[in-house]
Structures are given as C-alpha cells and as structure tokens.
Amino acid sequence: MYETILIPTDGSTPARKAVDHGIGLANAFDATVHALYVIETKAHYVFTAAGHDPAEMDEYRTYGKELVERVVDKAVENGLDGEGAVRTGSVAQEIVSYADDKDIDGIVMGAQGRSGIDDYLVGSTTEKVVRTANMPVTTIRHRKNEPSVR
C-alpha cells in the first residue's frame, strides 16, 4: 500500500511525533522514508524588501539539513531506506510539490508546527496540504497537557 512516505519536519513537538508515527508506518510497509524541511520565505517579510539575508538563509538551511538527517538516520536505524531534502518557498506548496515530484504514496505530518498562532489566524499549513495533496495525509495532533487515556 505504501512504498514511499513523506515526513515533513520543522523540529516542533508535533513534527517529532509525526516522525515517530511515520517511521512506524514505514516499518509496517517496508516503505522508503522521505524527510523534508522547507524554509518558509513568505514569513521573512522583515527582510523581503531588501532580499533574503544570506547568512540567515544559511542558518535555516543548516538547521533544516540537521532535522532531515535525523529523520533519515532514524529510518536507517529501523532498517528502512531514507532520503532527505531541504527546499525553499511556501511550506504547503513545497510539501505537495515534493510529494508529486517523488511519487509519494502518503504524507505523515504534525497538525500544528512552529507557526503557532499564525495557524489560527491565517490557516494551517497542514490544512493546506490535506486540501491540495493528491495522496493520503495523516495528521498527528499534539496538545499541551493532553489527558492520558486509560
């Protein structure tokens, strides 16, 4: 059913939970794990007029590569093949574009990432991916102080 699974990550707690779930799902199907970090350029409105600060973009790229490598390493530790990428642009668009480009069978992602309140005011990245992706999207929720189920 799943030969390839994409796990977008931003390092947030929901994203880390999605990594665990995505690796578990990939294990069940012996699927290849794709990890993706997107440098969101629209959020950098402070320096958009003058162009992106190369040093800051390098920091984001380095951070993204580290996150992606962790996911790929975790996949490999679980006996799976892993592949990672860092892209720049609109997060939702880049996730869907990557999934289409790589013929991804399913996406596993956190229901809320680093943008926090922006998700409530503007619309969540996850919702945009769910709405526009051509493949199943599994969302992993995380609530602070979430009550345990007995």
Side-chain angles (χ1 to χ4, degrees), residues 76-94:
V76 170
E77 288 169 10
N78 280 272
L80 302 167
D81 291 331
E83 191 174 314
V86 175
R87 288 192 172 186
T88 304
S90 167
V91 177
Q93 288 175 353
E94 290 300 323

mmCIF file with all atom_site columns, all heavy atoms in Angstrom, residues 76-94:
data_model
loop_
_atom_site.group_PDB
_atom_site.id
_atom_site.type_symbol
_atom_site.label_atom_id
_atom_site.label_alt_id
_atom_site.label_comp_id
_atom_site.label_asym_id
_atom_site.label_entity_id
_atom_site.label_seq_id
_atom_site.pdbx_PDB_ins_code
_atom_site.Cartn_x
_atom_site.Cartn_y
_atom_site.Cartn_z
_atom_site.occupancy
_atom_site.B_iso_or_equiv
_atom_site.pdbx_formal_charge
_atom_site.auth_seq_id
_atom_site.auth_comp_id
_atom_site.auth_asym_id
_atom_site.auth_atom_id
_atom_site.pdbx_PDB_model_num
ATOM 1   N N   . VAL A 1 76 ? 16.961 4.687  8.819  1.00 0.00 ? 76 VAL A N   1
ATOM 2   C CA  . VAL A 1 76 ? 18.018 3.705  8.586  1.00 0.00 ? 76 VAL A CA  1
ATOM 3   C C   . VAL A 1 76 ? 18.203 2.820  9.821  1.00 0.00 ? 76 VAL A C   1
ATOM 4   O O   . VAL A 1 76 ? 18.368 1.594  9.692  1.00 0.00 ? 76 VAL A O   1
ATOM 5   C CB  . VAL A 1 76 ? 19.335 4.412  8.178  1.00 0.00 ? 76 VAL A CB  1
ATOM 6   C CG1 . VAL A 1 76 ? 20.505 3.436  8.161  1.00 0.00 ? 76 VAL A CG1 1
ATOM 7   C CG2 . VAL A 1 76 ? 19.162 5.080  6.811  1.00 0.00 ? 76 VAL A CG2 1
ATOM 8   N N   . GLU A 1 77 ? 18.146 3.415  11.016 1.00 0.00 ? 77 GLU A N   1
ATOM 9   C CA  . GLU A 1 77 ? 18.248 2.628  12.258 1.00 0.00 ? 77 GLU A CA  1
ATOM 10  C C   . GLU A 1 77 ? 17.138 1.588  12.349 1.00 0.00 ? 77 GLU A C   1
ATOM 11  O O   . GLU A 1 77 ? 17.299 0.558  12.996 1.00 0.00 ? 77 GLU A O   1
ATOM 12  C CB  . GLU A 1 77 ? 18.172 3.550  13.481 1.00 0.00 ? 77 GLU A CB  1
ATOM 13  C CG  . GLU A 1 77 ? 19.401 4.387  13.695 1.00 0.00 ? 77 GLU A CG  1
ATOM 14  C CD  . GLU A 1 77 ? 19.184 5.473  14.747 1.00 0.00 ? 77 GLU A CD  1
ATOM 15  O OE1 . GLU A 1 77 ? 18.143 5.462  15.446 1.00 0.00 ? 77 GLU A OE1 1
ATOM 16  O OE2 . GLU A 1 77 ? 20.061 6.351  14.862 1.00 0.00 ? 77 GLU A OE2 1
ATOM 17  N N   . ASN A 1 78 ? 16.017 1.868  11.699 1.00 0.00 ? 78 ASN A N   1
ATOM 18  C CA  . ASN A 1 78 ? 14.883 0.939  11.698 1.00 0.00 ? 78 ASN A CA  1
ATOM 19  C C   . ASN A 1 78 ? 14.901 0.017  10.479 1.00 0.00 ? 78 ASN A C   1
ATOM 20  O O   . ASN A 1 78 ? 13.903 -0.633 10.173 1.00 0.00 ? 78 ASN A O   1
ATOM 21  C CB  . ASN A 1 78 ? 13.568 1.720  11.740 1.00 0.00 ? 78 ASN A CB  1
ATOM 22  C CG  . ASN A 1 78 ? 13.243 2.186  13.137 1.00 0.00 ? 78 ASN A CG  1
ATOM 23  O OD1 . ASN A 1 78 ? 12.617 1.468  13.900 1.00 0.00 ? 78 ASN A OD1 1
ATOM 24  N ND2 . ASN A 1 78 ? 13.691 3.386  13.492 1.00 0.00 ? 78 ASN A ND2 1
ATOM 25  N N   . GLY A 1 79 ? 16.027 -0.015 9.766  1.00 0.00 ? 79 GLY A N   1
ATOM 26  C CA  . GLY A 1 79 ? 16.175 -0.918 8.637  1.00 0.00 ? 79 GLY A CA  1
ATOM 27  C C   . GLY A 1 79 ? 15.486 -0.453 7.365  1.00 0.00 ? 79 GLY A C   1
ATOM 28  O O   . GLY A 1 79 ? 15.245 -1.254 6.456  1.00 0.00 ? 79 GLY A O   1
ATOM 29  N N   . LEU A 1 80 ? 15.177 0.831  7.283  1.00 0.00 ? 80 LEU A N   1
ATOM 30  C CA  . LEU A 1 80 ? 14.476 1.393  6.127  1.00 0.00 ? 80 LEU A CA  1
ATOM 31  C C   . LEU A 1 80 ? 15.412 2.244  5.288  1.00 0.00 ? 80 LEU A C   1
ATOM 32  O O   . LEU A 1 80 ? 16.431 2.724  5.773  1.00 0.00 ? 80 LEU A O   1
ATOM 33  C CB  . LEU A 1 80 ? 13.302 2.255  6.597  1.00 0.00 ? 80 LEU A CB  1
ATOM 34  C CG  . LEU A 1 80 ? 12.259 1.564  7.462  1.00 0.00 ? 80 LEU A CG  1
ATOM 35  C CD1 . LEU A 1 80 ? 11.351 2.590  8.120  1.00 0.00 ? 80 LEU A CD1 1
ATOM 36  C CD2 . LEU A 1 80 ? 11.455 0.580  6.632  1.00 0.00 ? 80 LEU A CD2 1
ATOM 37  N N   . ASP A 1 81 ? 15.033 2.444  4.045  1.00 0.00 ? 81 ASP A N   1
ATOM 38  C CA  . ASP A 1 81 ? 15.749 3.400  3.211  1.00 0.00 ? 81 ASP A CA  1
ATOM 39  C C   . ASP A 1 81 ? 15.225 4.791  3.520  1.00 0.00 ? 81 ASP A C   1
ATOM 40  O O   . ASP A 1 81 ? 14.032 4.969  3.804  1.00 0.00 ? 81 ASP A O   1
ATOM 41  C CB  . ASP A 1 81 ? 15.530 3.097  1.720  1.00 0.00 ? 81 ASP A CB  1
ATOM 42  C CG  . ASP A 1 81 ? 16.212 1.814  1.281  1.00 0.00 ? 81 ASP A CG  1
ATOM 43  O OD1 . ASP A 1 81 ? 17.247 1.457  1.876  1.00 0.00 ? 81 ASP A OD1 1
ATOM 44  O OD2 . ASP A 1 81 ? 15.714 1.175  0.342  1.00 0.00 ? 81 ASP A OD2 1
ATOM 45  N N   . GLY A 1 82 ? 16.111 5.772  3.483  1.00 0.00 ? 82 GLY A N   1
ATOM 46  C CA  . GLY A 1 82 ? 15.709 7.143  3.768  1.00 0.00 ? 82 GLY A CA  1
ATOM 47  C C   . GLY A 1 82 ? 16.337 8.121  2.802  1.00 0.00 ? 82 GLY A C   1
ATOM 48  O O   . GLY A 1 82 ? 17.436 7.891  2.302  1.00 0.00 ? 82 GLY A O   1
ATOM 49  N N   . GLU A 1 83 ? 15.609 9.191  2.553  1.00 0.00 ? 83 GLU A N   1
ATOM 50  C CA  . GLU A 1 83 ? 16.061 10.226 1.635  1.00 0.00 ? 83 GLU A CA  1
ATOM 51  C C   . GLU A 1 83 ? 15.598 11.562 2.210  1.00 0.00 ? 83 GLU A C   1
ATOM 52  O O   . GLU A 1 83 ? 14.491 11.646 2.745  1.00 0.00 ? 83 GLU A O   1
ATOM 53  C CB  . GLU A 1 83 ? 15.406 9.968  0.275  1.00 0.00 ? 83 GLU A CB  1
ATOM 54  C CG  . GLU A 1 83 ? 15.926 10.770 -0.861 1.00 0.00 ? 83 GLU A CG  1
ATOM 55  C CD  . GLU A 1 83 ? 15.299 10.323 -2.184 1.00 0.00 ? 83 GLU A CD  1
ATOM 56  O OE1 . GLU A 1 83 ? 15.230 9.110  -2.447 1.00 0.00 ? 83 GLU A OE1 1
ATOM 57  O OE2 . GLU A 1 83 ? 14.887 11.235 -2.934 1.00 0.00 ? 83 GLU A OE2 1
ATOM 58  N N   . GLY A 1 84 ? 16.418 12.583 2.101  1.00 0.00 ? 84 GLY A N   1
ATOM 59  C CA  . GLY A 1 84 ? 16.045 13.868 2.669  1.00 0.00 ? 84 GLY A CA  1
ATOM 60  C C   . GLY A 1 84 ? 16.296 15.025 1.732  1.00 0.00 ? 84 GLY A C   1
ATOM 61  O O   . GLY A 1 84 ? 17.125 14.929 0.822  1.00 0.00 ? 84 GLY A O   1
ATOM 62  N N   . ALA A 1 85 ? 15.566 16.124 1.969  1.00 0.00 ? 85 ALA A N   1
ATOM 63  C CA  . ALA A 1 85 ? 15.724 17.316 1.137  1.00 0.00 ? 85 ALA A CA  1
ATOM 64  C C   . ALA A 1 85 ? 15.366 18.557 1.934  1.00 0.00 ? 85 ALA A C   1
ATOM 65  O O   . ALA A 1 85 ? 14.571 18.500 2.877  1.00 0.00 ? 85 ALA A O   1
ATOM 66  C CB  . ALA A 1 85 ? 14.840 17.226 -0.101 1.00 0.00 ? 85 ALA A CB  1
ATOM 67  N N   . VAL A 1 86 ? 15.957 19.666 1.540  1.00 0.00 ? 86 VAL A N   1
ATOM 68  C CA  . VAL A 1 86 ? 15.614 20.987 2.066  1.00 0.00 ? 86 VAL A CA  1
ATOM 69  C C   . VAL A 1 86 ? 15.194 21.821 0.874  1.00 0.00 ? 86 VAL A C   1
ATOM 70  O O   . VAL A 1 86 ? 15.903 21.878 -0.132 1.00 0.00 ? 86 VAL A O   1
ATOM 71  C CB  . VAL A 1 86 ? 16.808 21.645 2.792  1.00 0.00 ? 86 VAL A CB  1
ATOM 72  C CG1 . VAL A 1 86 ? 16.468 23.060 3.223  1.00 0.00 ? 86 VAL A CG1 1
ATOM 73  C CG2 . VAL A 1 86 ? 17.242 20.804 3.987  1.00 0.00 ? 86 VAL A CG2 1
ATOM 74  N N   . ARG A 1 87 ? 14.026 22.442 0.987  1.00 0.00 ? 87 ARG A N   1
ATOM 75  C CA  . ARG A 1 87 ? 13.513 23.305 -0.090 1.00 0.00 ? 87 ARG A CA  1
ATOM 76  C C   . ARG A 1 87 ? 13.193 24.680 0.477  1.00 0.00 ? 87 ARG A C   1
ATOM 77  O O   . ARG A 1 87 ? 13.075 24.849 1.685  1.00 0.00 ? 87 ARG A O   1
ATOM 78  C CB  . ARG A 1 87 ? 12.256 22.712 -0.729 1.00 0.00 ? 87 ARG A CB  1
ATOM 79  C CG  . ARG A 1 87 ? 12.542 21.493 -1.600 1.00 0.00 ? 87 ARG A CG  1
ATOM 80  C CD  . ARG A 1 87 ? 11.336 21.150 -2.418 1.00 0.00 ? 87 ARG A CD  1
ATOM 81  N NE  . ARG A 1 87 ? 11.638 20.115 -3.399 1.00 0.00 ? 87 ARG A NE  1
ATOM 82  C CZ  . ARG A 1 87 ? 10.777 19.712 -4.311 1.00 0.00 ? 87 ARG A CZ  1
ATOM 83  N NH1 . ARG A 1 87 ? 9.568  20.238 -4.380 1.00 0.00 ? 87 ARG A NH1 1
ATOM 84  N NH2 . ARG A 1 87 ? 11.109 18.783 -5.172 1.00 0.00 ? 87 ARG A NH2 1
ATOM 85  N N   . THR A 1 88 ? 13.003 25.622 -0.399 1.00 0.00 ? 88 THR A N   1
ATOM 86  C CA  . THR A 1 88 ? 12.677 26.995 -0.019 1.00 0.00 ? 88 THR A CA  1
ATOM 87  C C   . THR A 1 88 ? 11.409 27.414 -0.738 1.00 0.00 ? 88 THR A C   1
ATOM 88  O O   . THR A 1 88 ? 11.249 27.127 -1.928 1.00 0.00 ? 88 THR A O   1
ATOM 89  C CB  . THR A 1 88 ? 13.828 27.943 -0.422 1.00 0.00 ? 88 THR A CB  1
ATOM 90  O OG1 . THR A 1 88 ? 15.032 27.476 0.183  1.00 0.00 ? 88 THR A OG1 1
ATOM 91  C CG2 . THR A 1 88 ? 13.562 29.364 0.023  1.00 0.00 ? 88 THR A CG2 1
ATOM 92  N N   . GLY A 1 89 ? 10.501 28.074 -0.003 1.00 0.00 ? 89 GLY A N   1
ATOM 93  C CA  . GLY A 1 89 ? 9.267  28.562 -0.617 1.00 0.00 ? 89 GLY A CA  1
ATOM 94  C C   . GLY A 1 89 ? 8.112  28.520 0.346  1.00 0.00 ? 89 GLY A C   1
ATOM 95  O O   . GLY A 1 89 ? 8.298  28.563 1.559  1.00 0.00 ? 89 GLY A O   1
ATOM 96  N N   . SER A 1 90 ? 6.923  28.404 -0.189 1.00 0.00 ? 90 SER A N   1
ATOM 97  C CA  . SER A 1 90 ? 5.716  28.250 0.624  1.00 0.00 ? 90 SER A CA  1
ATOM 98  C C   . SER A 1 90 ? 5.689  26.806 1.137  1.00 0.00 ? 90 SER A C   1
ATOM 99  O O   . SER A 1 90 ? 5.755  25.858 0.343  1.00 0.00 ? 90 SER A O   1
ATOM 100 C CB  . SER A 1 90 ? 4.476  28.520 -0.219 1.00 0.00 ? 90 SER A CB  1
ATOM 101 O OG  . SER A 1 90 ? 3.324  28.083 0.452  1.00 0.00 ? 90 SER A OG  1
ATOM 102 N N   . VAL A 1 91 ? 5.573  26.637 2.445  1.00 0.00 ? 91 VAL A N   1
ATOM 103 C CA  . VAL A 1 91 ? 5.706  25.301 3.030  1.00 0.00 ? 91 VAL A CA  1
ATOM 104 C C   . VAL A 1 91 ? 4.708  24.319 2.433  1.00 0.00 ? 91 VAL A C   1
ATOM 105 O O   . VAL A 1 91 ? 5.087  23.250 1.954  1.00 0.00 ? 91 VAL A O   1
ATOM 106 C CB  . VAL A 1 91 ? 5.601  25.347 4.573  1.00 0.00 ? 91 VAL A CB  1
ATOM 107 C CG1 . VAL A 1 91 ? 5.676  23.944 5.162  1.00 0.00 ? 91 VAL A CG1 1
ATOM 108 C CG2 . VAL A 1 91 ? 6.703  26.217 5.158  1.00 0.00 ? 91 VAL A CG2 1
ATOM 109 N N   . ALA A 1 92 ? 3.436  24.641 2.456  1.00 0.00 ? 92 ALA A N   1
ATOM 110 C CA  . ALA A 1 92 ? 2.415  23.717 1.947  1.00 0.00 ? 92 ALA A CA  1
ATOM 111 C C   . ALA A 1 92 ? 2.649  23.390 0.478  1.00 0.00 ? 92 ALA A C   1
ATOM 112 O O   . ALA A 1 92 ? 2.594  22.222 0.074  1.00 0.00 ? 92 ALA A O   1
ATOM 113 C CB  . ALA A 1 92 ? 1.030  24.297 2.152  1.00 0.00 ? 92 ALA A CB  1
ATOM 114 N N   . GLN A 1 93 ? 2.929  24.401 -0.316 1.00 0.00 ? 93 GLN A N   1
ATOM 115 C CA  . GLN A 1 93 ? 3.154  24.171 -1.743 1.00 0.00 ? 93 GLN A CA  1
ATOM 116 C C   . GLN A 1 93 ? 4.374  23.288 -1.986 1.00 0.00 ? 93 GLN A C   1
ATOM 117 O O   . GLN A 1 93 ? 4.354  22.404 -2.848 1.00 0.00 ? 93 GLN A O   1
ATOM 118 C CB  . GLN A 1 93 ? 3.330  25.498 -2.485 1.00 0.00 ? 93 GLN A CB  1
ATOM 119 C CG  . GLN A 1 93 ? 2.054  26.287 -2.618 1.00 0.00 ? 93 GLN A CG  1
ATOM 120 C CD  . GLN A 1 93 ? 2.291  27.656 -3.247 1.00 0.00 ? 93 GLN A CD  1
ATOM 121 O OE1 . GLN A 1 93 ? 3.428  28.077 -3.465 1.00 0.00 ? 93 GLN A OE1 1
ATOM 122 N NE2 . GLN A 1 93 ? 1.212  28.359 -3.519 1.00 0.00 ? 93 GLN A NE2 1
ATOM 123 N N   . GLU A 1 94 ? 5.430  23.520 -1.231 1.00 0.00 ? 94 GLU A N   1
ATOM 124 C CA  . GLU A 1 94 ? 6.650  22.736 -1.408 1.00 0.00 ? 94 GLU A CA  1
ATOM 125 C C   . GLU A 1 94 ? 6.453  21.288 -0.965 1.00 0.00 ? 94 GLU A C   1
ATOM 126 O O   . GLU A 1 94 ? 6.999  20.365 -1.584 1.00 0.00 ? 94 GLU A O   1
ATOM 127 C CB  . GLU A 1 94 ? 7.830  23.365 -0.676 1.00 0.00 ? 94 GLU A CB  1
ATOM 128 C CG  . GLU A 1 94 ? 8.310  24.659 -1.308 1.00 0.00 ? 94 GLU A CG  1
ATOM 129 C CD  . GLU A 1 94 ? 8.777  24.502 -2.747 1.00 0.00 ? 94 GLU A CD  1
ATOM 130 O OE1 . GLU A 1 94 ? 9.399  23.470 -3.080 1.00 0.00 ? 94 GLU A OE1 1
ATOM 131 O OE2 . GLU A 1 94 ? 8.508  25.415 -3.550 1.00 0.00 ? 94 GLU A OE2 1
#
